[in-house]
Structures are given as structure tokens and as C-alpha cells.
Amino acid sequence: MNPVHPPSPPAKLRAVRGMNDILPEEARKWHRVESVFRRVAELYGYGEVRTPVIEDTALFVRQIGETSDVVEKEMYSFERHGDALTVRPEGTAGAARAFVEHGVASKAPISRWYYLGPMFRGERPAKGRYRQFYQAGCELFGDPGPVCDAEMIELCLRVLRELGIRDLTVHINSLGSGDTRVRYRDALLTHLKPKLAELSEDSQRRLEKNPLRILDSKDPRDRAASETAPSIVDVLDEADRAHFDGVCAALDALGIEYVIDPKLVRGLDYYTRTLFEIKADAADLGAQSTVCGGGRYDEMVESLGGPKTPAIGFAMGLERILVAMGEQPPPEQPASVYLAAFGKGSVPAMLRIASKLRDGGVNCEVDAREAKLKAMLKRAGSSGAAFCVIAGDDELARGVVTVKDLAAHAQEEVRLDDVVEHLVSKAKASPPALSNLPGEVGR
Ligand code: ATP
Ligand code: MG
């Protein structure tokens, strides 16, 4: 027989690097961001679309581009049942795929979709940069702009401002379409070729295939080489120029300030014409200050086999938004009731009261631990409850319970038969227990 080894302690399993748990207290802040986003999106006529988290790898390779960082090194791809699949790194390609698959273009000339959900990119984790992160985004199909481009930027600003984020800067550019990009590519190649040796290894490799990408590089060597590069806005053709001017005019009409940033190209290949980013000036974000990025992708729907359909979209990074929001008053909680079953015989009565309170829409928690009264009251205080119901065996024998108003430090005896109605009306009238601060909305 083998000698018996003492079992080794189990290795602690941890969340995958770059992927975060969001516990309930933190999740409350997320709900606020998500509900503001949903409400603002609905204000502009958007409806939610939910697409699968996994798509065919080919969708992303073709749309995002073979030489993009995302496709080259960041995708979580795998094979299952003979299919090459990828956990989505972004939401636009899947939305456009669904748009084509369901023949939506033939049903309505314009569709406005929004989505919320996790995205996956195997990047180097840093503050505001994770491997699983959440995006909220909108896609507008069927409107060639330029007015809707500006309105989409306004939508983003409205979300961010409603969340209390100040010091936002809008950066815009145009990538042109068709010929413009070919002409700009040539101009950029002419500028960068003599500097080939000064570029990062990645950029040296990509120069011929995709010189635009070098403008988006975060490597200081590439930044130096592209400093004096020609500007794309100088090579726009007449139609692209008119479109870009139209975006600027609509932004002016909306009173939105913006910076024209001719080096803004962004990391995904599918963009055409309008590009934009919104940066938040939050010290905590460091290099990850871009909270929102978007642009036009007028060719994607057609390239997926759909009819020619202009489109524009954006995505905002929820983790970065939460950092930019900083410390804010805790979200309002509805008044809740803590039921302390003091005395064994009181448990059934407490369970019935709790059940009826929940029927009446009041949050409550039953404490049937048979703990000491002091411990139960302490826990009631820290639970954030507005009211505590205490029932000992002798009180129940008299047909009453004690109701404590935890904020007012007052208590009264209430008849068992009346306690549910009494608490439902008190809870409805009571201000939130955790915070008496108003929900922060402003600009
Ligand atoms: P960056 O230049 O910061 O890498 P990106 O251009 O790759 O951003 P997009 O693909 O346009 O970003 O995504 C839109 C937004 O999603 C970003 O502005 C950012 O707020 C957020 N985002 C992108 N990648 C990450 C990530 N790895 N972790 C957290 N948020 C992210
Ligand atoms: Mg990136």
C-alpha cells in the first residue's frame, strides 16, 4: 500500500487576471450608471439589442481588421464542435451581423440600437484596462449624417454629465471614405518610410499593410515619427469635407465644444468618415482617460451581405466611467425592515410578517439566529434598515410587537394584526435609510 500523505491544502482559486468581481455594494454604483445610460439612450429613441457573447471568429477578423491589435493579439478565440469562435472583444460587429441576419433594413429606414455588456480583450491589465470589461454603446443604422453624428456625441455627453463627470473633452476627426483613405495612406507612407528604422517593431511590420495604425500607437517612437505627419483633414475630398463640416456645424448648433484632432484614427479598421473620442480629465485614470470612443462605419453592413446602409456607433467603458465619477453619495435605498426574532416562539410570526411585507413591496430581512438582543440590534443598525421589529415570546403572548424607528431612536408597541399595514405605510413615507442626499443630477 502506498504511504498515506496528509492532504495538501487546496490551492486558492482566484479570479482570472484582468477580470474583476463586482460585489453587491459596488454593483449598486453600476446600476446607477446603467440606468442613466438606458434612460438617456431611450431619450434619443434607442431600443436595446442583446446579441450573443460568442461569435464566429471570422466576423471580428474581417470587420476589426487583421492588422489591428485586437485581432492580432487580444482575442479570446477557441474551437468547439469544429467552429472557430471568439468571445466578443467589442459590440459593433455583432450588432451589425444581427442587423443583416434579421433583414432589419427592409423593415425600417432607420434603426437605433443600444447594448450593455461585457467585452473581452487579452490586454495588459492596468487601472481602467481589463481583460473583461463592460461597455455601453449605441448603433444608429440608416442615417448618413452628419447631423446625427453630432447628436450621438451629445447623447454621450449627456450620459457622462448626468453621472456627474465634469471636465470632458470631445475630440473629432474624419477618416474620409473610399479614395480619401487611399490617398492619405500614400501620403503617410511617403512620410513614414524614411523613418522606418525609428519606428517600433510592431509598426515596422505593419507599415506597408496599415500605416494609419501607426498614428494610433502608444509607443513613444511611433508618436515621435508621426508628429510631423500630414493631416488627413487636408486630403479629404469634397463630399467627405462637406460631411465633416456638417458635423462641426451641428456640434456648434448644439453648443458643444470640440477639438479637431487629425491624428485620431482609433484601433479598429471598420471606421469611415466621422471619428470621435471623449476624454475625462480624472487624475485616477492616467493614460486610460478615453471614456468613450465611436465613429461611422458606412461600409460594414454591406460587407456583411446586407444592403448599403450608413451607420455610426460608439462604446463607453463603464469601469473608466466609474473611476471618473469618483466618490459619490451612495445611491438611495428604499426603506427596509429588520425583523429580529427574539425568543424561539417568535420565528413563525416573524416569517409571516416578512412575507406579507414583501407582498407589500417592502424590503426586509429576518434574523432568526437566536442571537442576543444586543447583537441583533447592532446588526439591524448596520444593515441600513429604517425600522426594526422585535418580538419576544411574552410580547407575542400579549398580541403585540415592538417597532423601532432606527433613525429617530423611537419605539412603539404595535398590535400584531396591524403591524404589516403600519410598516408598509411608514416605509412608503420614510426617506431612504442609507442616504438622505438627493440623487446627483446636474451639469
Ligand atoms: P484604448 O485606446 O484605451 O485602448 P480603444 O480604442 O481600444 O481604447 P474602443 O475599442 O473604442 O477602445 O472601446 C471604447 C471604450 O471602451 C474605450 O474608450 C474605453 O473606455 C473602453 N475600453 C476599451 N478597452 C478597454 C479595456 N481593456 N478595459 C477597460 N475599458 C476598455
Ligand atoms: Mg485598445
Side-chain angles (χ1 to χ4, degrees):
M1 242 177 77
N2 288 330
V4 178
H5 293 296
S8 50
K12 263 198 191 142
L13 291 172
R14 304 181 65 95
V16 174
R17 186 164 130 81
M19 304 197 180
N20 301 307
D21 299 311
I22 301 160
L23 303 185
E25 198 179 327
E26 189 68 18
R28 292 216 169 87
K29 298 183 196 156
W30 285 73
H31 293 163
R32 164 133 191 263
V33 176
E34 289 160 4
S35 73
V36 165
F37 173 76
R38 283 176 195 280
R39 191 164 49 79
V40 173
E42 307 254 351
L43 280 177
Y44 287 77
Y46 288 77
E48 184 176 4
V49 62
R50 298 191 187 196
T51 60
V53 181
I54 295 172
E55 298 272 358
D56 280 326
T57 298
L59 173 68
F60 300 117
V61 174
R62 277 190 229 144
Q63 298 306 325
I64 299 175
E66 249 166 301
T67 54
S68 64
D69 279 348
V70 172
V71 169
E72 269 193 351
K73 32 190 175 184
E74 298 170 1
M75 293 206 302
Y76 285 94
S77 299
F78 60 100
E79 204 203 279
R80 182 58 39 97
H81 310 308
D83 295 325
L85 304 172
T86 292
V87 196
R88 66 181 182 194
E90 56 96 58
T92 302
R97 195 254 326 124
F99 181 82
V100 173
E101 188 166 330
H102 299 278
V104 181
S106 66
K107 296 172 192 154
I110 291 181
S111 300
R112 294 185 177 85
W113 290 2
Y114 77 81
Y115 62 85
L116 263 165
M119 306 295 160
F120 301 81
R121 296 183 194 173
E123 303 197 63
R124 188 131 69 93
K127 179 129 196 171
R129 191 174 292 288
Y130 307 102
R131 291 179 171 173
Q132 173 173 334
F133 59 99
Y134 287 77
Q135 285 187 336
C138 287
E139 313 293 350
L140 168 49
F141 298 99
D143 188 333
V147 170
C148 68
D149 304 28
E151 268 209 301
M152 185 168 269
I153 294 172
E154 190 201 38
L155 186 168
C156 298
L157 287 172
R158 193 181 293 274
V159 172
L160 298 167
R161 287 174 180 156
E162 286 255 328
L163 290 168
I165 305 175
R166 302 288 178 274
D167 297 325
L168 296 162
T169 325
V170 176
H171 295 249
I172 60 166
N173 191 22
S174 174
L175 278 186
S177 51
D179 281 359
T180 307
R181 295 179 72 168
V182 177
R183 269 183 288 128
Y184 185 58
R185 206 192 110 94
D186 292 345
L188 206 53
L189 266 181
T190 311
H191 171 81
L192 289 173
K193 260 190 185 157
K195 302 178 193 292
L196 184 69
E198 301 158 33
L199 300 177
S200 70
E201 295 73 23
D202 261 357
S203 293
Q204 293 193 13
R205 194 168 42 77
R206 282 178 187 158
L207 180 63
E208 293 283 344
K209 265 196 181 164
N210 197 342
L212 258 71
R213 184 56 36 73
I214 294 166
L215 298 184
D216 195 36
S217 165
K218 283 155 188 129
D219 190 298
R221 290 168 290 177
D222 298 333
R223 289 203 169 246
S226 48
E227 193 103 307
T228 48
S231 216
I232 194 161
V233 284
D234 294 336
V235 296
L236 292 181
D237 70 18
E238 219 172 294
D240 288 336
R241 178 86 236 174
H243 190 277
F244 188 58
D245 289 345
V247 176
C248 296
L251 286 171
D252 292 338
L254 286 165
I256 293 172
E257 285 179 28
Y258 52 90
V259 179
I260 296 174
D261 180 353
K263 300 273 158 57
L264 178 66
V265 293
R266 309 194 30 73
L268 317 174
D269 271 4
Y270 51 63
Y271 289 120
T272 50
R273 291 193 162 170
T274 314
L275 275 188
F276 64 94
E277 280 190 353
I278 303 177
K279 293 183 197 286
D281 182 17
D284 284 349
L285 279 170
Q288 273 66 248
S289 63
T290 305
V291 290
C292 175
R296 195 159 266 295
Y297 51 96
D298 290 339
E299 289 154 17
M300 191 189 294
V301 170
E302 200 179 14
S303 80
L304 287 167
K308 202 170 168 41
T309 307
I312 181 166
F314 72 84
M316 36 182 86
L318 301 195
E319 288 83 356
R320 293 188 194 178
I321 287 177
L322 281 153
V323 173
M325 283 165 68
E327 282 305 314
Q328 295 202 353
E332 294 187 17
Q333 294 296 309
S336 63
V337 175
Y338 196 91
L339 295 122
F342 177 58
K344 274 193 187 157
S346 64
V347 170
M350 288 307 207
L351 286 175
R352 279 194 296 272
I353 296 173
S355 191
K356 285 190 186 139
L357 283 173
R358 292 178 183 129
D359 288 345
V362 176
N363 297 356
C364 52
E365 177 178 337
V366 176
D367 187 345
R369 296 174 299 167
E370 297 181 23
K372 294 221 158 58
L373 183 60
K374 199 171 158 202
M376 288 200 278
L377 285 175
K378 194 166 168 206
R379 162 72 194 139
S382 63
S383 74
F387 303 99
C388 178
V389 178
I390 310 159
D393 294 340
D394 50 329
E395 283 166 306
L396 284 175
R398 286 194 288 124
V400 298
V401 294
T402 301
V403 174
K404 265 181 176 291
D405 182 328
L406 292 168
H409 302 288
Q411 69 176 56
E412 58 186 324
E413 267 190 1
V414 180
R415 284 180 44 77
L416 194 53
D417 292 343
D418 301 335
V419 69
V420 170
E421 205 182 316
H422 178 83
L423 281 168
V424 168
S425 65
K426 280 219 164 208
K428 298 255 149 81
S430 165
L434 272 184
S435 156
N436 294 323
L437 297 160
E440 206 266 6
V441 177
R443 28 221 66 228

